[in-house]
Amino acid sequence: MLSKGQNVALSDDVERVDVVIGWTEAEVAVDASALLLGADRKVLSDNDFVFYNQPESADGSVRFLGSSATEEGAQTRITIELAALPDEVHTVALAASTSAGTFGELGKIAFCVVDGAGRALAEYVTADATTESAFLFGEVYRRAGAWKVRAVGEGWDSGLAGLAADFGVDVADDSEGEATAGSEAVSELEPTAGQAIEISVPDLKTEQPEESTARPARPARGVRTAKQVAKKAKPIEFKLAEHDSWQPARLFSVIGVGAGEEQERRATSALIATMQAVRPFARALCARMGAPAGAFEGFIEVQYERGEATVIPDAVLKVIRGGRVWTGLLEVKTGSGKLKREQLESYLDVARKKKYDVVVSLSNDIPAGPGELPVEVDRRKLAKVALRHLSWAEVAHEARMLLSHGGIEDDLQAWLLNEFLRYLDHPRSGAAEFVDMGRHWVAVRDAVVARTLRAGDQKALAVAETWVSLSRHLALRLTAELGATVKHVLPRRHRSDPAARNAAVAERLVTDGTFEAVLQIPDTAGDLEIVADMRTNRIRCRIALDAPDEGSSGRRLSWLLKQLQDAPGTVQVEAVFSEGNEACEHLDKVRANPKVLTAGRAGTIVSFTLEQSFPMGNRRSGTATSFISSVTSATDAFHGAVVQPLRGWVPAGNNPSPLPS
């Protein structure tokens, strides 16, 4: 962990790094940027300013990968090919900007430099930003032929334009209309929440022209820093059916889908075809893989020679940006198919030989933490090729986000993406979001009930990891539904230490027989807590919130009841009073007579806790009786009926919903 002004050297074998800037208050959109600086700490050309409108440097060595949601909030990325940086570039300054709000509203902001496997090489965390709308977090720079990372921590109130201008970028007047011709036709860019850029790119050709070594001249009118707002397309409606039972033809049919290999081929083909037809969808997924923003093409079942054997990945992914082509190999599993170490390592060998960028695995596995891989591989094979993992749940999440919250402007593209989602949702597709607690589930469940489970049991640790994956799945589902990043809250020490995290979850399971997940949802009165109690076979969902700090207990309770008009009467309402005493009753009784909660209680109400209990399925996987489906349905029901209508108390003068008189 670096402090402001400190630096750390990168080892000689590190040729490429990703710079990740992460924050927790995800409702504020943030975008990374990079400036390639010469010895005078100025850009040599406006093409050396890399950001959302110009997502790649002229030589392709530095690329903007866009912003995305994570269970910890949100993040924005820049990738740097250290070996490809021109000799005249001495420093890559790494910054971020926000067009709505300030960095002081984001809380702690983490600047992290990671290698191809996602391992942190340097990290700097700052919480002292105030009114800045652009912030320089750190630098990657050369010293005596070696690369180092320095933490900077300097802000600008003048936003991205002000930061860029101070480093020698010619910034255009964003009010002039059309983008300047000088800022080289930037590629189609992954949209952040509510935003998108659509600018043409060259078509991908079989043979690429040799890259020019000449540095482009400075644009005559400067670089434009404003962002456009994404539009939402209207899905195609079929209105001529004579009866509700009539169904339109499906673009991706599940008829005749078998198991195993046939299922994987169909899912892969449907995915690649949809990505090629719906460019914003391709951009969103490719950004998760570390690809630049650009024109996408995909090819299935391409054969490669590896020694005397033939290697056939499920797909080859190509993205062109300027004169550079990014390439990834994709390995797909559906249903209960499991990724294999030997297979992934063979693809890594092929990718290294062909000088490809990444190997991507796609399966129903949802790793418990960001950057974690469902299969461990020989780390030496990741020196020149990155290995990334996507789950089918994340693929569906990106599609739903684009359809529900902007990014798709064409009605036909919206229909295509809806058809793809319909295919994924069908059980025969094999692309389940999260359906299986793993092979140790039944044994662990029974041992918890019998009180014979011990925390060090490897089966308990495996099930604990699966629970954390389920918690991430819940956060992803709510994020796609709400269009705002829902965070799965973990103690900071557990975010970077999976072994300690799994041990803590297993210890709680042994001690009191429960799993717990905490979800932080923007614009709600408090965190949503989900507790699965294995010994009582119940799921408890609850939320705690502060009571108004004015008025009598009766008026404070009326304020709460007004917001719970549609909540089930079985919800428990607990009131905590200023004198330390508590009272708890079901909501239907409190509605009938509010005094059952307040009569005879000393002090005034200072906080409320609302809790609802649901039956828990105990099957390992399957339909409505499974553990996973019961946790999911309980979370959805409590969020929709109780959490979503609640708003925290705002003091008098700022409160749109004053206390009832």
Side-chain angles (χ1 to χ4, degrees):
M1 180 75 70
L2 299 177
S3 58
K4 189 171 181 177
Q6 282 188 321
N7 64 72
V8 62
L10 300 178
S11 60
D12 293 338
D13 61 348
V14 176
E15 296 185 356
R16 181 177 68 184
V17 295
D18 277 8
V19 177
V20 184
I21 297 170
W23 64 101
T24 56
E25 300 300 324
E27 61 270 20
V28 179
V30 174
D31 293 290
S33 56
L35 299 108
L36 285 65
L37 310 178
D40 60 353
R41 293 189 60 79
K42 300 289 185 181
V43 295
L44 284 78
S45 153
D46 284 352
N47 298 88
D48 290 331
F49 178 30
V50 177
F51 68 120
Y52 45 77
N53 278 351
Q54 191 163 270
E56 186 168 309
S57 60
D59 49 38
S61 59
V62 181
R63 291 174 281 137
F64 171 70
L65 300 183
S67 302
S68 60
T70 73
E71 64 281 359
E72 297 180 11
Q75 65 180 21
T76 180
R77 281 180 177 256
I78 292 280
T79 189
I80 306 173
E81 301 278 356
L82 297 174
L85 282 168
D87 292 340
E88 60 265 36
V89 174
H90 289 238
T91 301
V92 181
L94 298 157
S97 61
T98 174
S99 56
T102 66
F103 279 90
E105 300 171 24
L106 298 181
K108 289 185 178 179
I109 314 165
F111 164 80
C112 190
V113 179
V114 301
D115 64 10
R119 292 176 297 180
L121 305 175
E123 186 174 8
Y124 165 56
V125 177
T126 179
D128 56 1
T130 54
T131 61
E132 300 92 341
S133 51
F135 208 86
L136 178 62
F137 288 93
E139 299 173 341
V140 175
Y141 64 101
R142 298 184 208 254
R143 281 295 182 273
W147 289 102
K148 293 186 174 184
V149 179
R150 177 190 294 121
V152 178
E154 180 182 354
W156 279 256
D157 290 347
S158 50
L160 183 62
L163 179 149
D166 282 357
F167 284 104
V169 177
D170 183 13
V171 178
D173 181 358
D174 285 321
S175 64
E176 291 181 8
E178 294 295 320
T180 172
S183 21
E184 182 189 8
V186 293
S187 66
E188 296 181 8
L189 172 66
E190 180 208 8
T192 57
Q195 295 172 315
I197 301 295
E198 294 288 343
I199 304 179
S200 62
V201 295
D203 292 332
L204 184 62
K205 305 297 182 184
T206 303
E207 296 183 2
Q208 297 298 326
E210 294 184 4
E211 296 184 18
S212 171
T213 56
R215 301 186 67 80
R218 180 185 295 273
R221 295 174 57 199
V223 176
R224 205 167 288 282
T225 60
K227 297 181 75 173
Q228 298 175 6
V229 178
K231 298 177 182 178
K232 185 177 175 182
K234 296 180 180 179
I236 295 174
E237 296 183 19
F238 296 91
K239 302 178 180 179
L240 302 181
E242 297 176 17
H243 193 274
D244 291 344
S245 62
W246 287 23
Q247 294 293 322
R250 296 300 171 210
L251 184 64
F252 304 108
S253 174
V254 295
I255 297 174
V257 173
E261 195 171 313
E262 166 66 16
Q263 196 179 64
E264 289 176 5
R265 286 179 175 176
R266 285 221 195 180
T268 304
S269 183
L271 171 65
I272 300 303
T274 305
M275 291 175 69
Q276 289 182 153
V278 186
R279 291 300 176 86
F281 181 54
R283 289 195 300 269
L285 292 183
C286 287
R288 285 179 174 268
M289 304 174 194
F296 168 82
E297 289 190 12
F299 307 87
I300 59 173
E301 297 186 349
V302 177
Q303 297 188 13
Y304 295 93
E305 298 300 322
R306 179 175 177 258
E308 298 181 356
T310 299
V311 174
I312 309 176
D314 290 301
V316 178
L317 313 176
K318 295 272 189 178
V319 176
I320 185 170
R321 166 63 191 157
R324 184 182 183 280
V325 179
W326 173 95
T327 306
L329 301 181
L330 180 66
E331 169 62 7
V332 175
K333 296 294 181 184
T334 56
S336 58
K338 294 299 180 184
L339 298 162
K340 298 178 181 178
R341 172 174 177 162
E342 297 78 10
Q343 200 169 28
L344 292 175
E345 288 185 346
S346 70
Y347 295 156
L348 287 168
D349 289 340
V350 169
R352 183 180 68 253
K353 181 179 178 180
K354 301 288 290 185
K355 296 184 179 180
Y356 291 166
D357 298 88
V358 65
V359 171
V360 181
S361 59
L362 172 59
S363 71
N364 286 323
D365 296 295
I366 301 180
E372 295 180 31
L373 301 171
V375 176
E376 287 295 325
V377 299
D378 185 345
R379 293 283 177 176
R380 292 172 296 181
K381 295 182 180 294
L382 302 177
K384 297 182 182 296
V385 182
L387 176 61
R388 298 179 186 264
H389 177 74
L390 281 178
S391 67
W392 282 109
E394 290 171 293
V395 172
H397 159 76
E398 291 292 355
R400 292 191 180 102
M401 283 286 288
L402 287 168
L403 288 169
S404 300
H405 306 289
I408 303 294
E409 301 183 14
D410 181 85
D411 292 349
L412 181 58
Q413 287 190 352
W415 178 74
L416 289 170
L417 200 53
N418 267 306
E419 285 295 293
F420 177 64
L421 269 177
R422 188 185 298 272
Y423 176 81
L424 292 189
D425 288 339
H426 197 284
R428 289 185 186 174
S429 73
E433 292 199 15
F434 196 94
V435 295
D436 197 339
M437 287 298 293
R439 62 191 180 93
H440 299 305
W441 168 250
V442 174
V444 170
R445 179 200 67 198
D446 293 346
V448 170
V449 175
R451 300 179 187 269
T452 58
L453 188 68
R454 295 297 177 263
D457 190 325
Q458 291 301 308
K459 295 178 181 178
L461 294 172
V463 171
E465 184 171 36
T466 306
W467 167 258
V468 183
S469 296
L470 174 56
S471 303
R472 287 190 68 205
H473 167 66
L474 296 175
L476 276 175
R477 291 180 75 257
L478 285 174
T479 295
E481 177 187 338
L482 302 173
T485 303
V486 176
K487 173 186 174 184
H488 173 217
V489 181
L490 286 171
R492 183 172 183 81
R493 66 183 183 280
H494 290 165
R495 299 175 199 166
S496 57
D497 191 343
R501 177 198 63 214
N502 296 341
V505 174
E507 179 65 35
R508 175 159 183 172
L509 187 60
V510 168
T511 303
D512 59 16
T514 63
F515 291 115
E516 183 181 46
V518 179
L519 304 182
Q520 188 177 84
I521 306 172
D523 299 323
T524 55
D527 293 343
L528 169 56
E529 300 175 42
I530 303 115
V531 177
D533 193 325
M534 309 300 295
R535 292 174 182 156
T536 64
N537 223 37
R538 304 292 293 180
I539 298 165
R540 302 191 302 273
C541 296
R542 60 175 173 247
I543 181 174
L545 67 158
D546 292 333
D549 58 3
E550 60 183 60
S552 65
S553 288
R555 292 185 65 194
R556 299 180 189 199
L557 181 57
S558 296
W559 167 83
L560 177 69
L561 295 177
K562 183 179 179 181
Q563 300 185 74
L564 297 175
Q565 294 178 3
D566 298 323
T570 54
V571 172
Q572 290 182 345
V573 182
E574 180 184 76
V576 177
F577 292 80
S578 56
E579 297 299 321
N581 51 326
E582 302 172 356
C584 184
E585 291 288 352
H586 284 102
L587 181 57
D588 54 2
K589 290 186 178 181
V590 179
R591 283 171 175 156
N593 180 17
K595 290 186 178 180
V596 299
L597 207 62
T598 60
R601 309 291 178 181
T604 54
I605 297 176
V606 295
S607 67
F608 296 102
T609 298
L610 307 174
E611 181 175 304
Q612 188 174 5
S613 177
F614 301 86
M616 185 178 76
N618 54 23
R619 291 180 58 186
R620 162 185 161 181
S621 61
T623 56
T625 58
S626 75
F627 174 74
I628 293 169
S629 61
S630 62
V631 172
T632 302
S633 60
T635 302
D636 289 347
F638 188 75
H639 172 260
V642 179
V643 177
Q644 204 163 18
L646 286 177
R647 291 294 179 267
W649 168 251
V650 179
N654 301 312
N655 189 8
S657 301
L659 284 178
S661 56

